[in-house]
Amino acid sequence: MAATRTWIMNPLAIFTANDLDATGGLVVEDGLIVEMLAAGQQPAAPCSHAFDAREHVVLPGLINTHHHFYQTLTRAWAPVVNQPLFPWLKTLYPVWARLSPEQLALATKVALAELLLSGCSTAADHHYLFPDGLEHAIDVQVGVVRELGMRAMLTRGSMSLGEADGGLPPQQTVQQGEVILADSQRLIGQYHERGAGAQIQIALAPCSPFSVTPAIMRASAELAGKLDVRLHTHLAETLDEEEFCLQRFGLRTVDYLDSVGWLGPRTWLAHGIHFNPEEIARLGAAGTGISHCPCSNMRLASGICPTLELQAAGAPIGIGVDGSASNDASNLILEARQALYLQRLRYGAERITPELALGWASKGSAKLLGRSDIGELAVGKQADLAFFKLDELRFSGSHDPLSALLLCGADRADRMMIGGRWRVIDGQVEGLDVARLIADHRQAAKALIAG
């Protein structure tokens, strides 16, 4: 049977995340971009389908590099609304420790659907909770990702340093090192896909300096090197964390990272706020990436990531929405907008452009996840595309379509294509009963809080 060729025709505007011209649109075949067309150009060969994109701003599918899907169940919970990170965590840990597989599945579906509707095609999740009964948490998430037809980097998180030994998490959320490593190896063997077009990938992600031992950090780094997968953790999010590292290890955060074998291009870090110039230089020289999470950093009053210094030093920058208990949304186009505005406070309006912020949320984020097949529009890349309309009241009177996406606050994709397949049409996720999902998810959220 002949392959389906689809011409995405004459978009209102298109952001390629590179210097290529696609003002006339692009051609998709077998899930890949096979032609980029300048204005007035026709496809080189006949197309069996055409989509008129004259009302759409087209972006590469956006990529979320840090999230905690399960936290959609504890959004805007009154006891933690006004708390900074450490007390916020201490209050929430006992609630999260009650999480069931059914609740996790609903939370994951809500997070992914919300991301998908915001123009996101690929998401990294950091799941580090494995209480009794939830030993197969990542397996649950794999099923939901496949059901929604998205791509995901599911990180096998871990917590091995409980309150009894000077850590933050309660003992019922802590696992032994051998259990963590055995499950990590199982998940990589069972689910990790390699090469272009991968749908499910696995990374290793001990949670943070204050919730895991140096031993599990070192062992995870060794296993990741042996099996060639990526490494992820929280680092330098707050000054409390810096003080913890100094007191417990006698090291600042980057020195600690180096001491456990994590300073390298395999690693990407969530937040990355509190670095001095020498640490920024070391991170850049190592090629260690940073997931900038502006909404969470503002909500918890953690600080502002030094993105431009990190980028200039050689550290890739991507965007993460972070968990839905500190954001409290899973909306990537709005996260790019927040990155634009927060970073302008630090660096000025001239240096932080809409194109820079969108580049972080696409090509930059892809680099954090070690992927070169997604995050930009070019021949041979995956046909992951986000389509936004500018027909709502908030956009009326706007003149530059690409800038309008962020400046006027676009929050919902009209269409999404992943691997050449339509996953969102007319603002609706294909095959998903959203009303039923909301009803079930709300019930699960109430049950989790009630205990």
Side-chain angles (χ1 to χ4, degrees):
M1 192 173 75
T4 300
R5 282 172 57 86
T6 302
W7 179 12
I8 309 295
M9 297 172 59
N10 304 317
L12 176 63
I14 189 164
F15 175 73
T16 58
N18 52 44
D19 296 328
L20 299 175
D21 181 6
T23 49
L26 44 84
V27 178
V28 172
E29 185 175 353
D30 284 344
L32 300 176
I33 298 167
V34 294
E35 287 187 65
M36 304 278 281
L37 305 173
Q41 265 192 315
Q42 297 284 317
C47 292
S48 50
H49 294 81
F51 176 75
D52 186 346
R54 75 178 78 181
E55 295 183 353
H56 291 89
V57 181
V58 181
L59 310 178
L62 302 178
I63 299 167
N64 174 35
T65 57
H66 183 66
H67 207 332
H68 308 289
F69 294 161
Y70 74 88
Q71 289 182 14
T72 61
L73 293 161
T74 50
R75 297 198 234 226
W77 186 41
V80 296
V81 164
N82 302 314
Q83 290 185 329
L85 180 66
F86 273 24
W88 176 90
L89 279 170
K90 293 280 278 183
T91 309
L92 279 164
Y93 276 143
V95 176
W96 293 337
R98 300 194 289 261
L99 191 67
S100 72
E102 295 75 22
Q103 290 167 337
L104 176 61
L106 286 166
T108 299
K109 191 176 287 192
V110 164
L112 284 171
E114 194 181 353
L115 285 166
L116 185 58
L117 288 168
S118 75
C120 175
S121 56
T122 303
D125 189 57
H126 189 180
H127 188 86
Y128 50 80
L129 276 171
F130 298 86
D132 287 348
L134 198 62
E135 292 84 359
H136 289 87
I138 305 298
D139 306 76
V140 169
Q141 294 187 315
V142 167
V144 179
V145 173
R146 287 177 174 162
E147 182 183 342
L148 290 181
M150 295 177 71
R151 304 185 198 277
M153 173 75 83
L154 301 173
T155 74
R156 205 298 180 186
S158 54
M159 296 198 293
S160 61
L161 185 69
E163 285 175 314
D165 300 306
L168 246 67
Q171 290 304 122
Q172 70 265 37
T173 64
V174 169
Q175 288 184 304
Q176 295 301 309
E178 56 270 23
V179 173
I180 293 164
L181 295 169
D183 194 48
S184 297
Q185 194 151 354
R186 175 187 72 83
L187 290 166
I188 294 165
Q190 193 165 341
Y191 296 119
H192 185 68
E193 300 171 20
R194 302 181 186 275
Q199 182 181 22
I200 305 281
Q201 294 190 310
I202 303 292
L204 304 185
C207 186
S208 61
F210 49 82
S211 60
V212 295
T213 59
I216 201 65
M217 290 289 283
R218 288 192 194 93
S220 295
E222 289 167 10
L223 185 60
K226 178 181 157 192
L227 300 180
D228 190 23
V229 297
R230 297 185 80 73
L231 288 165
H232 183 52
T233 194
H234 298 91
L235 199 80
E237 183 176 0
T238 66
L239 292 172
D240 285 349
E241 179 195 323
E242 184 179 296
E243 184 60 31
F244 181 94
C245 287
L246 284 167
Q247 286 190 2
R248 188 170 183 91
F249 311 120
L251 299 167
R252 285 177 56 84
T253 53
V254 174
D255 289 325
Y256 173 69
L257 199 71
D258 197 8
S259 76
V260 291
W262 275 59
L263 201 57
R266 191 182 299 282
T267 299
W268 88 102
L269 306 169
H271 305 293
I273 296 168
H274 299 285
F275 299 129
N276 62 34
E278 186 256 346
E279 289 165 339
I280 289 171
R282 287 169 68 195
L283 289 162
T288 298
I290 308 292
S291 174
H292 176 37
C293 305
C295 286
S296 175
N297 296 345
M298 295 168 77
R299 152 82 197 266
L300 296 173
S302 302
I304 305 176
C305 176
T307 54
L308 292 193
E309 285 97 335
L310 285 159
Q311 197 163 272
I317 301 293
I319 299 288
V321 301
D322 200 11
S324 294
S326 69
N327 183 310
D328 290 31
S330 310
N331 190 307
L332 201 51
I333 192 73
L334 287 181
E335 202 70 32
R337 181 183 203 238
Q338 201 77 315
L340 174 79
Y341 288 156
L342 182 60
Q343 292 298 320
R344 281 188 173 190
L345 282 181
R346 189 176 186 114
Y347 297 110
E350 304 89 347
R351 297 178 72 190
I352 307 293
T353 65
E355 289 81 4
L356 179 63
L358 288 170
W360 285 337
S362 52
K363 191 174 181 180
S365 284
K367 188 159 188 186
L368 257 60
L369 303 187
R371 297 194 67 155
S372 58
D373 60 327
I374 56 176
E376 61 181 312
L377 306 183
V379 171
K381 306 293 183 186
Q382 296 294 311
D384 292 3
L385 307 170
F387 297 72
F388 292 86
K389 278 189 171 181
L390 304 182
D391 57 354
E392 294 180 60
L393 193 60
R394 78 185 82 177
F395 301 109
S396 183
S398 63
H399 298 275
D400 174 39
L402 200 60
S403 297
L405 275 186
L406 298 191
L407 300 183
C408 301
D411 64 356
R412 192 177 178 100
D414 180 61
R415 281 184 170 246
M416 281 293 298
M417 176 182 280
I418 302 178
R421 181 180 170 216
W422 291 113
R423 293 303 306 128
V424 173
I425 296 176
D426 298 334
Q428 302 297 317
V429 178
E430 286 288 277
L432 183 64
D433 184 341
V434 174
R436 174 67 185 272
L437 176 60
I438 291 171
D440 291 346
H441 182 260
R442 281 180 174 164
Q443 192 174 352
K446 285 179 184 172
L448 185 66
I449 293 295

